[in-house]
Amino acid sequence: MAPAALSDIQTLPPTYAKSSSILASVLHGPRDIRLETRTIGEPAPYELQIAIKSTGICGSDCAYYKNFRNGDLQAVAPLSLGHESAGVVIAIGTAVTGFQLGERVALEVGVPCDNCRVCQRGRYNLCSKMRFRSSAKSVPHYQGTLQERINHPAKWCHKIPSRVSFDAASLLEPLSVAIHSTRRASIEQGDTAVVFGAGTIGLVVAAMAKLCGATTVLIADIDAGRVQYALRHGFATKGYIVPRTKLDSEISEKLDAAKELASEINEIASENEPDVEGADVTFDCTGKEVCMQAGLYTTRPGGKLVMVGMGTPIQTLPLSAAHLREVDILGIFRYANTYATGIKILSAGVLPALDQMVTHRFHGLAEVGNALELAAATVDERGERVGKVVIEL
């Protein structure tokens, strides 16, 4: 075994945990976050017990924290947040093979039924019986990872090499969204890609578009700091700062504004090119109606518009702009079969360092409330950009 691999594990015999007490951060209502003691049992036969080391704060965590709901999903019982996580194996279920104590793992926190038609076809992210940690969709709620330890199915624990940090491994979850999105988009070498939104998801989608062969990747956002960060760190090749304008009430005015936005973006994206057809692939990572409208106009005839962000549930879109130009509109819901690919990509170092996306780190579960407040902001109290916020244990 190579020396680097030896550092990934502790050479200890498997043991099996007894029931014990752990600390957990628990949300009871809007902005009502409490530190509580829970009892955790030994892992079931096909589970591992994981000591959580790093958890990234996601936009959905912020939504639950503010409103005790995320879109249509209303929490009906106390809920631990957190689903972008990595940790260490500390106990092994009796039927689990292939793991050792001390191994470092990234957690894929959606657990499907494995038996339905979509699961059997490999699209388990669409399983109607999916339980996803920190989501209120299933009742009882599947508790999130902002706890000291959790028991999790070994099948959904992915080993990570020592050269991948826990913080980077926690970002495998948003990276998986980007991998799934770019797979669905079928990007070809030399393509032009436009990405609306320069948050965490937008950044990794842009980086994956480049990795897949897009030679022009333009990222657009209303926040100048985010666009500049994307360009400075190599996530995108071009940037566009969307002007903050008054929102029009009439749909015709909204669509005119979307056309103008698309025209300006395409002019920048196609600079020094012989024609201005539009983007081969456009990714909306915001979920905002105006970005979907502009995205349709930004995309060239025969191109693809990929809906990545989850935002406005009901939108008015100029579907004739898709219909008459054969623009394919593709939906994205989480990811499937992406973690092994993501770990290889991180290990190879072919993306901008994901650790650098983390701008603020909080230590300990007592800081979860402060972390959630900051994660919902664009700048901190010093006026510095807020990127990824991480809780470390």
Side-chain angles (χ1 to χ4, degrees):
M1 183 180 291
L6 288 172
S7 63
D8 289 357
I9 61 173
Q10 300 173 6
T11 53
L12 300 172
T15 59
Y16 306 101
K18 301 299 181 184
S19 297
S20 59
S21 296
I22 60 168
L23 287 178
S25 174
V26 186
L27 184 68
H28 285 257
R31 285 189 161 84
D32 182 7
I33 200 93
R34 308 177 193 176
L35 195 59
E36 298 180 354
T37 300
R38 287 176 170 172
T39 298
I40 186 171
E42 61 185 69
Y46 289 96
E47 289 182 335
L48 299 174
Q49 189 165 117
I50 308 298
I52 302 298
K53 294 299 182 183
S54 179
T55 296
I57 300 298
C58 174
S60 64
D61 294 320
C62 295
Y64 279 118
Y65 175 66
K66 287 181 178 179
N67 307 308
F68 208 44
R69 66 182 303 136
N70 179 31
D72 295 333
L73 301 178
Q74 172 70 57
V76 296
L79 177 66
S80 286
L81 301 176
H83 56 267
E84 301 176 2
S85 294
V88 174
V89 177
I90 61 169
I92 300 172
T94 55
V96 174
T97 59
F99 284 91
Q100 296 185 48
L101 293 180
E103 284 188 308
R104 307 162 76 250
V105 294
L107 300 178
E108 186 171 355
V109 298
V111 180
C113 75
D114 270 348
N115 294 314
C116 68
R117 192 175 185 186
V118 293
C119 283
Q120 294 301 317
R121 291 183 174 184
R123 302 186 69 178
Y124 58 84
N125 57 312
L126 305 178
C127 175
S128 62
K129 297 179 181 177
M130 168 75 77
R131 295 184 304 139
F132 194 89
R133 289 192 181 274
S134 78
S135 171
K137 184 175 182 180
S138 58
V139 180
H141 301 329
Y142 198 23
Q143 299 297 309
T145 55
L146 285 173
Q147 308 179 67
E148 289 180 320
R149 287 178 276 144
I150 63 169
N151 292 327
H152 198 66
K155 178 178 180 178
W156 306 109
C157 297
H158 304 275
K159 298 179 188 179
I160 55 173
S162 58
R163 58 186 170 274
V164 175
S165 70
F166 285 120
D167 286 352
S170 71
L171 288 169
L172 275 164
E173 206 273 344
L175 178 59
S176 284
V177 175
I179 293 169
H180 185 56
S181 300
T182 49
R183 281 178 179 171
R184 293 266 286 154
S186 302
I187 292 173
E188 297 182 0
Q189 289 76 19
D191 273 356
T192 292
V194 169
V195 179
F196 285 94
T200 299
I201 294 293
L203 288 172
V204 290
V205 165
M208 280 301 305
K210 284 181 64 179
L211 187 63
C212 290
T215 49
T216 297
V217 178
L218 183 146
I219 196 162
D221 199 284
I222 60 173
D223 189 293
R226 288 184 169 187
V227 174
Q228 291 162 2
Y229 175 87
L231 297 175
R232 188 167 61 248
H233 292 277
F235 288 91
T237 64
K238 297 182 179 182
Y240 179 82
I241 301 168
V242 179
R244 295 176 182 266
T245 58
K246 181 181 178 181
L247 294 178
D248 296 309
S249 57
E250 296 294 329
I251 185 60
S252 61
E253 295 174 343
K254 289 182 179 180
L255 296 182
D256 286 342
K259 288 178 183 178
E260 182 178 352
L261 175 58
S263 177
E264 292 176 0
I265 286 175
N266 279 335
E267 184 175 348
I268 296 172
S270 62
E271 187 178 4
N272 299 323
E273 294 185 8
D275 51 33
V276 186
E277 274 196 314
D280 298 287
V281 182
T282 303
F283 298 91
D284 173 38
C285 300
T286 70
K288 301 295 185 183
E289 181 182 64
V290 63
C291 293
M292 280 295 296
Q293 292 167 343
L296 274 174
Y297 294 126
T298 300
T299 309
R300 68 163 175 82
K304 299 182 181 70
L305 173 61
V306 186
M307 303 171 64
V308 184
M310 296 178 65
T312 311
I314 299 175
Q315 302 183 16
T316 300
L317 301 177
L319 287 182
S320 61
H323 181 194
L324 301 179
R325 300 185 306 129
E326 294 191 358
V327 172
D328 295 338
I329 301 176
L330 303 175
I332 298 296
F333 185 65
R334 294 177 182 152
Y335 43 80
N337 309 302
T338 54
Y339 266 71
T341 300
I343 290 168
K344 287 184 177 181
I345 289 172
L346 286 187
S347 298
V350 293
L351 290 183
L354 297 194
D355 297 81
Q356 294 182 10
M357 295 174 64
V358 180
T359 58
H360 297 77
R361 292 174 170 85
F362 291 80
H363 301 280
L365 293 172
E367 292 294 317
V368 169
N370 293 330
L372 287 162
E373 291 285 355
L374 182 63
T378 56
V379 295
D380 63 16
E381 68 278 0
R382 300 185 301 274
E384 297 180 0
R385 184 184 66 88
V386 175
K388 196 66 182 177
V389 177
V390 165
I391 305 286
E392 297 179 334
L393 302 181

